[in-house]
Amino acid sequence: MNSVTVEDGFVIAEAGAANRALYDAVAPQGYAFPGGSCPGVSIAGQAMGGGWGPLCRLLGLTCDSLAGAELVDAYGRNMAANPHCNQELFWALRGGGGGNFGVVTSLKFRLPDIKPEAVTLITLNWQGASADGQAQAQFWDAWQKWLDGADERVTLQADVSRKETGCRGLFIGPLDEAVEAVKPLAMLPGCESSFEEMSLGDAMQALMDGCLMPAKHKSAARFVLRPLSMEQIRVLTGSLRAAPDVIEPSYSLYALGGAVGRKASSETAFYFRNAMYIVRMQAAWEQDQAEPAGVDWVNRTFPRLAGMTTGSYVGFPYDGLREPMRAYYNGNMGRLRRVKRVYDPYGVFRFPQCVRP
C-alpha cells in the first residue's frame, strides 16, 4: 500500500509509502513538504511519531501538516479521523506513536503554500576533530549556541562520532543567504564548508542519499531544553572514546525550534514543543558477535544522557525506559490513555511500549 497522489493542495499517501516516494511526488510540482530525511521510513510512522525533518524549523513537524487519516479500528471497521470526525483520535495520531489506536491505511497532508525558488544544501565538516574530544565538545557547544536564534529557514542535523564531526541540512533560500545563516559555524577553526544551490527535489535526494541507517544498531533519543554545559558535553564525547572498538558509537543532534515551537504542547500529541533539539545516541556494528558490546554501551551511557536531558523521542524508541509513556508523551499521557479507552478498550493493539488504557 504505497501509492501517493497530489491534488488540490493536498498529498494523499497510503501508509506503506516511504519518504522518498512522497518527495518524488511533490517535488516536480514545486512543493516543499516537511517529511523525513531517511528515504525508507514510511510516512505513517514518520507522522505518528511527530516527524522531525530537514524543513521542520520552517514548516513544522510532519504531523503538523496532517489533515486526516483513514484506518481500521479494533473492531475491524473502516473509519476516518480528521478535524471534523473523531477529533480526539485525530489529535492522538499526530505524535502519539504508531500502532496504538488502529491500523492506519491512508494519510492526507496539507501542502504548504511555499514553493521555494532556491534551496541550498549545506555541508560542514571538521576534519580531524573526531580524534580530539575537546574539539568535538567545542563544536557541539558552538552548534547549540548557533541554534539559539538561528534563521528558521535552516535546519541542520549534526553528527559527532569517532569517524566524523559535522553537520548537514537545508536552507530554504539562495546560496549567499545560506552562507550568512551558518557563518558562526563555518568560521570555526578547521571547518570545511560546502554550499550548493539547487532545486528542492535535488536537495532532498542528496540528503536522503546520505542517510545510511545501519542494519544492526541500538539507539535512544532525548530532548534538550536548554544548552548543555561544556562539562556535560565532554562527558558524552568522552563516552565515544571509551566505547569498544567493535562498535561505532555516535551522537546525532536534530535541530528544533522555529515553527515546531509555535504550537502548544497540547495542540497535538507531540509534547516537547519547547525543546531546542533532539540528541540521539547510537551504537552500530557489522558482526553479530559485537551486538552485546553495542547494547551494553547504550545501556551504560544512557543514564548519563538522561540526567542531562528530558523525555524521549518515540521516533527512536528505547526499550530501557522505566516509564515509556511518561518519557514519550509527558503531559499528554493522560489524554492519550483516554483516547485508547475509547477506540481500543480491550487492548487489541498492544506491544511492550504501547499506550495503555
Side-chain angles (χ1 to χ4, degrees), residues 50-356:
W52 183 91
L55 299 177
C56 71
R57 301 189 71 250
L58 180 64
L59 302 177
L61 300 171
T62 308
C63 71
D64 297 337
S65 294
L66 188 64
E70 295 181 357
L71 65 158
V72 178
D73 73 359
Y75 301 96
R77 301 172 298 194
N78 293 324
M79 65 189 315
N82 55 55
H84 311 289
C85 177
N86 295 305
Q87 293 97 328
E88 283 295 283
L89 178 59
F90 178 61
W91 173 86
L93 293 178
R94 290 175 291 161
N100 281 310
F101 309 102
V103 180
V104 173
T105 57
S106 179
L107 303 102
K108 183 177 183 180
F109 297 93
R110 182 178 293 102
L111 290 168
D113 296 331
I114 176 176
K115 286 190 174 183
E117 295 182 1
V119 176
T120 304
L121 176 66
I122 302 170
T123 305
L124 305 174
N125 286 312
W126 281 263
Q127 297 295 332
S130 295
D132 183 346
Q134 180 63 21
Q136 283 189 322
Q138 290 172 346
F139 158 70
W140 189 323
D141 185 52
W143 183 88
Q144 63 179 4
K145 287 177 178 176
W146 161 83
L147 179 59
D148 187 17
D151 190 321
E152 67 181 38
R153 290 177 294 171
V154 61
T155 303
L156 293 180
Q157 173 188 332
D159 294 291
V160 179
S161 72
R162 292 190 300 204
K163 284 188 173 181
E164 64 176 335
T165 299
C167 49
R168 204 161 189 238
L170 299 182
F171 178 84
I172 306 303
L175 187 149
D176 59 334
E177 294 181 19
V179 171
E180 190 65 28
V182 299
K183 192 174 181 180
L185 294 176
M187 292 185 67
L188 289 173
C191 176
E192 297 180 359
S193 60
S194 170
F195 300 88
E196 300 176 78
E197 189 174 315
M198 58 185 71
S199 70
L200 178 60
D202 288 344
M204 287 306 311
Q205 291 295 337
L207 276 185
M208 289 189 291
D209 288 345
C211 179
L212 303 175
M213 185 64 72
K216 300 173 183 179
H217 69 278
K218 186 177 183 66
S219 63
R222 303 278 291 178
F223 293 95
V224 177
L225 301 186
R226 60 190 61 84
L228 300 181
S229 69
M230 278 296 288
E231 182 180 356
Q232 291 173 322
I233 294 172
R234 289 192 191 102
V235 169
L236 299 178
T237 57
S239 71
L240 298 174
R241 268 153 287 285
D245 292 338
V246 293
I247 67 169
E248 291 297 337
S250 64
Y251 292 97
S252 294
L253 318 178
Y254 301 85
L256 294 173
V260 177
R262 285 199 287 273
K263 287 187 179 294
S265 294
S266 60
E267 194 167 339
T268 68
F270 182 89
Y271 179 82
F272 297 96
R273 295 284 177 173
N274 61 339
M276 285 184 64
Y277 59 96
I278 300 168
V279 54
R280 181 191 71 179
M281 61 178 303
Q282 178 174 277
W285 56 88
E286 295 182 359
Q287 303 299 323
D288 289 342
Q289 56 265 34
E291 179 176 347
V295 171
D296 180 67
W297 181 80
V298 172
N299 289 340
R300 284 189 298 104
T301 310
F302 180 80
R304 301 179 193 172
L305 178 63
M308 310 171 187
T309 54
T310 191
S312 216
Y313 180 41
V314 73
F316 299 123
Y318 174 56
D319 60 1
L321 298 173
R322 292 183 180 179
E323 296 183 89
M325 280 197 62
R326 184 173 300 279
Y328 294 140
Y329 311 118
N330 201 286
N332 288 333
M333 179 176 61
R335 188 173 174 184
L336 284 167
R337 279 181 165 154
R338 291 192 293 272
V339 175
K340 182 74 169 180
R341 285 196 292 268
V342 171
Y343 291 94
D344 186 19
Y346 303 109
V348 172
F349 302 106
R350 59 181 180 270
F351 48 93
Q353 294 189 345
C354 68
V355 171
R356 301 186 183 277

